[in-house]
Amino acid sequence: MIYLTGDIHGDPIERFSYKRHSEMRELTKNDYMFVLGDCGVPWYNPEIKFYDYWTRPGAEKVEHYLLSWLNDKPWTTIFIRGNHDNIDLIEEMPWTKFAHADVRQMSYQNVVYDKIYYVDTPQYMYLEGQKILIVPGAESHDADYIFEYDDPSTKGYIKHLQKQEQKDGIISYYRINHVSWWEREGVDEDKLKALLPHLPHEIDYIFTHAPCGELRKYWKFPDRPAREYPTPSEQILADLIFPSFKYKLWVHGHFHHYIELPHILSLGIYHSVLSLEDLESISKRFSSENKYHEEKLAAMKKV
C-alpha cells in the first residue's frame, strides 16, 4: 500500500510514532510512505559550523538518531524535496533506482540508510500498479532576509532583527544561505521539460511539494486578507502539467493546511497520513461533485 503525509520538518517521530499514531502499527515491509516535501532531515551540514535557531551543537548525532529511528520502521520511506530541505546534503547522496525512477539513497556522513530514498528531481514512478509523476521544489515564503553564514556581520544583523521584533512586534523572517536556505529550492523547470515528453498522457497521481498555480484562483490563506499570485514554481506546474495530463488526483504539501479543490482535482495535506484507498475515495468524490456541478450548469444554460 502507498501512504502519504505532508511536511514533517525534521521530526519523523512526531509524525510516525506508534504512541501518537496507533494506525502506524499496521504498516509492514510491503508499504511505502511518501513525505511531500520539507522533510528536514538530514538538516545540519557538519562542514559548516554555523549554529542558530535551526541548528544546535551536537546536531549531527540527532540527525543520525532520527534517520536510524525511521530506517528501523518496517515500511519504506520516500522523501520528496521541498524548499526546507538541505540541498547540499541531498546532492551528496548516491543515485539509485527505485520504482523505475532515479532517486537518491539516503546517506549522511557516510552512513547509508537503506529504506529511505530522496526524490530531488522530477521523476516518473510506477509503484504498486500506480503511475505517479513527482515534482520536487517550491519557493520559501519565510525568507525576508538571506544572510551568508561566513559573513562576519550576519550574527549582528540577526540580533538587530530579534531586538526589533521584541521592541516593535515586527517579525522579519531570515534564512542563512547553505544553512537554512538554498537558492536551488524551486522546481527545476529544465529537468521537468526534459521529462514530460516521455510520459503517458494519462497518469494516476501527481505528488508535489508546491501546489499547482491554479490553486491561487480559488483558495487563500485563512489569515491573509487577499489571494496571492502563484510563485514561480507554482506557475511552472500550472503551465507545464495542469493542461497536459489527465490524472485522478494532484496531492501537494507546503501550505500546512488541508485543502480540497475538487474542480481542479487538487488535495493539499499536512499532518494527515492518507492511504492509497483514501486517495481513491477522495478522487471518486471529486469526480462525482464535478459531474454534479457540470450537469447543474448545463441545466441552467438550457433554462
Side-chain angles (χ1 to χ4, degrees), residues 18 32 47 55 58 111 119 152 170 179 182 198 252 258 279 285:
Y18 292 159
Y32 304 92
E47 295 181 3
T55 307
V111 178
V119 183
I170 300 175
V179 174
W182 292 266
H198 303 286
H252 68 88
Y258 184 86
L279 298 187
R285 176 164 57 83

Side-chain angles (χ1 to χ4, degrees), residues 123-134:
Q123 294 293 324
Y124 175 68
M125 280 190 182
Y126 186 74
L127 180 64
E128 295 295 298
Q130 303 299 313
K131 295 175 285 187
I132 305 170
L133 172 60
I134 300 175

Side-chain angles (χ1 to χ4, degrees), residues 139-158:
E139 279 77 34
S140 296
H141 53 80
D142 52 357
D144 298 331
Y145 299 92
I146 305 295
F147 299 121
E148 299 296 329
Y149 71 89
D150 54 356
D151 186 337
S153 63
T154 288
K155 291 191 175 181
Y157 282 124
I158 292 173

